[in-house]
Amino acid sequence: MRKLIVEKSNRRLIDYLQDKFNKLKKGAIYKALRNKDIRVNGVKVNENVYLNAGDELTVYISDEILFGGFTLTSKHIVYEDDNILIINKPQNILVISEENDIGLDKLVYDYLNAPAFPCHRLDRNTSGLIIFAKNHEYEEAMFTLIKNHGLRKLYRCKVYGKPVQNKATLTAYLFKDSKKSTVIISDEKKSGYSEIITKYSVLKSNPDNTTELEVELVTGKTHQIRAHLAHIGLPIIGDGKYGINEINKQFGVSWQQLQAYKIIFTNANGILEYLNDKEFSIE
């Protein structure tokens, strides 16, 4: 996040930002505006706004994007061998490229000078570990391993509120509304809903009514952690979709405080057997 004080009046917001950050792409500005990540004097704005001298401009865009975009380098590689890559994905990066929006798959291709294939997904604004296979044989093997629960994926997050229990296994039902790009959680089984299981344990309880949790997905549905924790009254701080806007403003956070921080191979076999019992994590 950066705060800027505008020097001259009657300047278009987009022109001002591109003058200040000459490598910032116009598409990134439009995306930030859509996500309500640009504010003038604390007010969310659109691309048609003009700035006046003395206006305070708050920009929730990562420095990597502001100063020229994200490039995958060796510092983002947690593990690599002839078959797989484990990458520490930053926030605000898609796993799979979309039209006019470069994803991690394209960045991995540029890094390897060869294609590679993501074996699971992370939300755009969730940072952390993601596995890529360097060929289809290992991609299929990794899919099978994940399906058979031979891979543990652990997350850490910061939520608002205090859990009733320090450790719990949560069960509920999730419905994905593709039209609204959101999910709904129910405590009861309903038509079209899938069962979800989420484990958590408390890492740290803070005096500001926040709690740091370690979370493990037993099932792996869209937005499961974010929606499930919000459903039990523990919204992730910075989550604009399932969180509480007033709380996010209170902590000055616009990115969800959620990271996929650890991967443990617990039951790898076949061509993946060499990875069995290996653990990879971000400090």
Side-chain angles (χ1 to χ4, degrees):
M1 185 269 286
R2 288 182 175 265
K3 287 190 176 182
L4 306 167
I5 302 299
V6 178
E7 304 88 355
K8 297 179 181 179
S9 294
N10 203 33
R11 299 206 63 194
R12 285 184 72 238
L13 170 64
I14 292 176
D15 294 337
Y16 177 81
L17 285 173
Q18 289 199 298
D19 282 349
K20 280 289 182 183
F21 308 101
N22 58 19
K23 293 186 178 180
L24 177 62
K25 295 180 180 179
K26 190 172 289 187
I29 300 174
Y30 284 126
K31 186 184 301 179
L33 288 166
R34 288 195 301 272
N35 292 336
K36 311 299 183 184
D37 287 337
I38 298 177
R39 301 173 190 179
V40 178
N41 301 322
V43 178
K44 299 168 186 176
V45 295
N46 59 39
E47 67 268 22
N48 297 319
V49 72
Y50 278 76
L51 303 173
N52 295 306
D55 282 345
E56 181 182 80
L57 184 61
T58 308
V59 182
Y60 295 94
I61 300 177
S62 69
D63 284 355
E64 288 171 318
I65 293 173
L66 284 175
F67 296 104
F70 175 71
T71 301
L72 187 68
T73 66
S74 58
K75 72 178 182 180
H76 302 104
I77 308 302
V78 175
Y79 174 80
E80 180 177 6
D81 61 28
D82 291 340
N83 311 307
I84 68 167
L85 276 171
I86 301 178
I87 298 166
N88 183 8
K89 183 187 88 69
Q91 290 175 326
N92 202 33
I93 299 285
L94 290 168
V95 173
I96 301 294
S97 299
E98 295 178 355
E99 186 177 0
N100 300 321
D101 201 345
I102 294 174
L104 195 58
D105 56 341
K106 174 62 167 61
L107 298 169
V108 171
Y109 182 93
D110 292 342
Y111 174 80
L112 294 173
N113 198 29
F117 313 98
C119 300
H120 54 105
R121 300 287 188 271
L122 290 176
D123 295 340
R124 175 197 287 275
N125 290 328
T126 299
S127 64
L129 299 178
I130 187 160
I131 303 169
F132 275 73
K134 292 185 176 181
N135 57 64
H136 288 300
E137 182 183 13
Y138 278 84
E139 179 189 23
E140 289 299 324
M142 198 67 71
F143 283 158
T144 300
L145 180 71
I146 294 170
K147 181 180 178 181
N148 293 334
H149 304 289
L151 180 73
R152 294 179 65 199
K153 293 181 284 184
L154 302 176
Y155 297 73
R156 55 190 172 198
C157 62
K158 191 173 186 180
V159 301
Y160 189 74
K162 305 291 184 183
V164 176
Q165 299 171 286
N166 284 336
K167 190 173 184 178
T169 298
L170 309 173
T171 301
Y173 300 90
L174 177 149
F175 175 77
K176 182 178 180 180
D177 188 334
S178 299
K179 291 182 179 179
K180 295 182 179 180
S181 297
T182 191
V183 302
I184 301 168
I185 305 296
S186 169
D187 290 321
E188 298 178 357
K189 175 69 172 176
K190 298 179 181 180
S191 177
Y193 283 65
S194 300
E195 185 181 45
I196 57 170
I197 302 172
T198 310
K199 296 180 178 181
Y200 78 80
S201 58
V202 172
L203 295 175
K204 184 180 179 183
S205 184
N206 300 313
D208 59 358
N209 199 37
T210 64
T211 307
E212 296 169 35
L213 302 177
E214 179 180 81
V215 182
E216 181 173 2
L217 290 175
V218 178
T219 56
K221 300 297 184 181
T222 301
H223 299 174
Q224 178 177 324
I225 292 175
R226 298 161 59 193
H228 207 170
L229 290 177
H231 179 70
I232 66 166
L234 297 172
I236 293 176
I237 294 173
D239 188 345
K241 183 165 288 190
Y242 303 101
I244 301 171
N245 288 334
E246 291 76 13
I247 298 300
N248 297 341
K249 289 178 184 177
Q250 176 184 330
F251 288 92
V253 174
S254 66
W255 301 108
Q256 61 207 29
Q257 304 300 288
L258 175 64
Q259 181 185 55
Y261 88 106
K262 186 181 292 186
I263 287 174
I264 306 171
F265 289 85
T266 58
N267 193 25
N269 51 40
I271 61 174
L272 294 175
E273 187 174 5
Y274 72 99
L275 293 168
N276 206 32
D277 296 327
K278 289 189 181 296
E279 178 179 311
F280 303 95
S281 63
I282 303 168
E283 294 301 322

